[in-house]
Amino acid sequence: MKIAILLYDNYTALDVVGPYEVLSNIPGAKIYFTAEKPGLYKNSNGIQISADFSLKEVEGPEIIVIPGGFGIDAILDNKDILEWLNSVHEKSQWTTSVCSGSLLLASAGILNGRKATTHWNRVEQFKKYPVEFVNERYVKDGKIITSAGVSAGIDMALYLTSLVVNENFAKLVQLALEYDPKPPFDSGSPEKAPREIMEKFKNSRNKKIK
Amino acid sequence: MKIAILLYDNYTALDVVGPYEVLSNIPGAKIYFTAEKPGLYKNSNGIQISADFSLKEVEGPEIIVIPGGFGIDAILDNKDILEWLNSVHEKSQWTTSVCSGSLLLASAGILNGRKATTHWNRVEQFKKYPVEFVNERYVKDGKIITSAGVSAGIDMALYLTSLVVNENFAKLVQLALEYDPKPPFDSGSPEKAPREIMEKFKNSRNKKIK
């Protein structure tokens, strides 16, 4: 099973690696890190991940993963990427996104009239597209699954694994990743974060915040 | 703040990127991906992450992160790595591990007589060292923080962020990563996984399982 994960400058690394770590367990999975040009792609905090395939080299992936990140805005009008995305989406079994990656799907027209989600801080921007925003951890509409911010890609990928293989296999993967989350705080969404944290967030809008 | 993350062949990618994604938000953080030799390091599922620094180039990191993975066994007796680890640990503010990365700390003698944890499937191997195994998501003993399997590195790194900066800042990072986990299943630990899943796990011990 061919799984294409898009890279570009200034992706969010956990958007990429969360789904990678889960989906690569699917029997027969082969992951293709793909980008406009093969090479190393970094984000603003310094990690460099290799894109081993150009877009043209990745034909007919059964699963497509579009990660989010600050850099997403710079590729929302990129003709080559949009063309590739529309072409592979046509034949994919599953087209997915993490965080602000859903903006690229929206920009490609793939989400027109669809239910979908995104990072909570991108909702305003997301709603400018003809999309029905749903405030959930991940949203399935037909063969499209979008997920909320960054870490939500792990939950989405486990759900997708249960659809592609079966529930028991997805549980096996969850066990292997010891994904029994116990965050030390309960501040992972705007509804849960203390008001002072939300204020801080608004005042700290810089490169470091997705 | 210098943060060193060790790479080697067949690390688990989420062990690396979970803490990276959290800790890189610490004000002034500079992440050093380091390995015996600079270059691309891959794991068995195909991702390649660049180690930009040799061990010798990373002197005096305030934080050390040792990720786990299948490949950890191959470096448990690696003199150059053990020597570097002992030398940087001596002056570090925090020495941490994710998953089976704790085996390297144990092998270096750093965990002698300490409370620590590891991936649930590595406990037997871990107990061969003079370590007091504790079954927790992450365990702090002095300046050493070890965490359980793979995804536990995210929880550990948020906790560490609260110690290095403060709780409110850690909550801000949690919000930025929208880390409000909602796994579709509740199978993330041996205690929670259905018995049939545990049996499957035992029968599927191959390269794909951490």
Side-chain angles (χ1 to χ4, degrees):
Chain A
M1 174 163 269
K2 251 187 187 174
I3 302 173
I5 303 180
L6 183 71
L7 291 181
Y8 52 88
D9 286 325
N10 291 317
Y11 55 84
T12 296
L14 189 52
D15 290 28
V16 172
V17 169
Y20 166 81
E21 195 64 58
V22 174
L23 300 177
S24 58
N25 290 286
I26 292 175
K30 179 144 193 239
I31 310 275
Y32 294 77
F33 287 102
T34 181
E36 267 195 287
K37 289 177 191 168
L40 286 177
Y41 282 79
K42 64 177 166 184
N43 75 12
S44 51
N45 297 319
I47 195 171
Q48 299 197 86
I49 300 178
S50 174
D52 303 312
F53 301 92
S54 70
L55 298 174
K56 283 183 185 166
E57 286 174 299
V58 184
E59 287 176 14
E62 279 91 356
I63 297 176
I64 304 159
V65 180
I66 309 296
F70 309 121
I72 200 79
D73 297 292
I75 62 165
L76 289 181
D77 296 320
N78 182 309
K79 276 188 188 174
D80 289 343
I81 292 178
L82 291 175
E83 213 168 88
W84 171 81
L85 182 53
N86 268 307
S87 130
V88 289
H89 169 63
E90 211 171 290
K91 293 180 182 171
S92 75
Q93 286 175 23
W94 301 101
T95 299
T96 74
S97 66
V98 183
C99 196
S100 55
S102 55
L103 291 167
L104 190 71
L105 297 183
S107 180
I110 288 171
L111 296 182
N112 285 357
R114 300 277 198 167
K115 290 186 167 89
T117 196
T118 193
H119 188 287
W120 63 266
N121 196 38
R122 292 284 200 161
V123 173
E124 209 175 309
Q125 184 183 2
F126 194 52
K127 284 185 172 170
K128 289 179 182 159
Y129 294 95
V131 175
E132 187 183 335
F133 169 72
V134 182
N135 187 17
E136 296 285 352
R137 192 73 176 154
Y138 48 82
V139 176
K140 178 182 176 299
D141 187 339
K143 71 174 190 179
I144 302 166
I145 313 179
T146 51
S147 48
V150 194
S151 58
I154 301 172
D155 296 333
M156 181 275 285
L158 278 171
Y159 172 61
L160 176 56
T161 300
S162 77
L163 300 179
V164 171
V165 190
N166 57 53
E167 280 202 9
N168 269 355
F169 186 80
K171 288 177 184 175
L172 186 69
V173 173
Q174 184 179 4
L175 181 61
L177 305 186
E178 205 162 344
Y179 185 46
D180 182 24
K182 291 193 185 92
F185 312 107
D186 191 17
S187 180
S189 74
E191 294 79 21
K192 293 178 175 178
R195 189 180 296 177
E196 67 205 86
I197 303 295
M198 286 300 295
E199 291 303 316
K200 261 198 183 171
F201 193 98
K202 284 178 195 160
N203 296 330
S204 70
R205 285 212 187 171
N206 59 28
K207 283 194 299 174
K208 295 272 183 193
I209 305 295
K210 316 300 153 205
Chain B
M1 174 160 274
K2 252 187 186 174
I3 302 173
I5 303 180
L6 182 71
L7 291 182
Y8 52 88
D9 287 325
N10 291 317
Y11 55 83
T12 296
L14 190 52
D15 289 28
V16 172
V17 169
Y20 166 81
E21 194 64 57
V22 174
L23 299 176
S24 58
N25 290 285
I26 292 175
K30 177 140 194 239
I31 310 275
Y32 293 78
F33 288 102
T34 180
E36 266 195 288
K37 289 176 191 168
L40 286 178
Y41 283 78
K42 62 177 168 185
N43 77 11
S44 51
N45 297 318
I47 196 170
Q48 299 196 84
I49 300 178
S50 174
D52 304 312
F53 301 91
S54 70
L55 298 173
K56 284 183 183 165
E57 288 173 297
V58 183
E59 287 176 15
E62 280 91 353
I63 297 176
I64 303 161
V65 180
I66 309 295
F70 308 120
I72 199 79
D73 298 291
I75 61 165
L76 289 180
D77 297 320
N78 181 310
K79 277 188 187 171
D80 289 343
I81 292 178
L82 291 175
E83 212 168 89
W84 172 80
L85 183 53
N86 268 307
S87 130
V88 288
H89 169 64
E90 210 171 290
K91 293 180 182 171
S92 74
Q93 287 176 21
W94 301 100
T95 299
T96 74
S97 67
V98 184
C99 196
S100 55
S102 55
L103 291 167
L104 190 72
L105 297 183
S107 180
I110 289 171
L111 297 182
N112 285 358
R114 299 279 198 165
K115 291 186 167 88
T117 196
T118 192
H119 188 287
W120 63 265
N121 195 39
R122 294 284 200 161
V123 173
E124 211 176 308
Q125 183 182 2
F126 193 54
K127 284 182 172 172
K128 290 178 182 158
Y129 295 94
V131 175
E132 186 184 334
F133 169 71
V134 182
N135 188 17
E136 295 285 352
R137 192 74 177 154
Y138 48 83
V139 175
K140 178 182 177 299
D141 187 339
K143 71 174 189 178
I144 302 167
I145 312 179
T146 50
S147 49
V150 193
S151 58
I154 301 172
D155 295 335
M156 180 275 285
L158 277 171
Y159 172 62
L160 176 55
T161 300
S162 77
L163 299 179
V164 171
V165 189
N166 58 52
E167 280 204 8
N168 269 356
F169 187 80
K171 289 179 183 175
L172 186 69
V173 173
Q174 183 179 5
L175 181 60
L177 304 187
E178 204 162 344
Y179 186 45
D180 182 23
K182 292 193 184 92
F185 313 107
D186 190 16
S187 179
S189 75
E191 294 79 21
K192 293 179 175 178
R195 189 181 295 175
E196 67 204 85
I197 303 295
M198 285 301 293
E199 289 304 315
K200 263 196 183 173
F201 193 98
K202 283 176 196 159
N203 296 329
S204 70
R205 284 211 187 168
N206 59 28
K207 283 193 302 176
K208 295 276 183 188
I209 306 296
K210 314 301 155 207

